[in-house]
Amino acid sequence: KDSLEKLQFGLIATFVGERRRYLQKYGPVVFAHFFGSFARAERNINRAWSALIDGHREELAISLDYAKSSIEQALIGMREEA
């Protein structure tokens, strides 16, 4: 639980807080591409947290896998345009 909350309130909050800077740096088309992947990751991390609290281990694992994949896609999109 603590690790998920660190992601939610640390990494994710920081990334969201920097969105305007990323929009200016990459432009709206590229930004929309990688930020869409990031938004999917954020939703799945929140879903994983809920699954953990509710005791749904299978949903927890699925949501974490989706979140990991989405973060990887976002980072690839950012690197390709850097």
Side-chain angles (χ1 to χ4, degrees):
K1 178 182 169 197
D2 291 338
S3 296
L4 286 174
E5 288 175 351
K6 284 180 185 177
L7 277 173
Q8 289 171 312
F9 301 113
L11 176 68
I12 290 174
T14 299
F15 198 81
V16 169
E18 295 290 317
R19 68 187 177 279
R20 285 186 177 87
R21 185 174 68 85
Y22 293 130
L23 179 58
Q24 290 175 347
K25 179 177 179 179
Y26 293 101
V29 173
V30 173
F31 173 81
H33 177 72
F34 74 76
F35 206 81
S37 295
F38 173 77
R40 282 189 297 279
E42 180 184 22
R43 284 191 302 276
N44 279 289
I45 288 169
N46 291 334
R47 186 178 189 129
W49 184 90
S50 294
L52 175 66
I53 297 303
D54 292 343
H56 297 287
R57 298 288 180 189
E58 186 176 328
E59 182 61 36
L60 170 63
I62 291 168
S63 296
L64 287 175
D65 283 344
Y66 285 150
K68 180 179 181 264
S69 174
S70 295
I71 288 172
E72 289 170 349
Q73 289 174 356
L75 292 173
I76 288 168
M78 289 175 74
R79 285 187 197 120
E80 287 176 351
E81 298 301 326

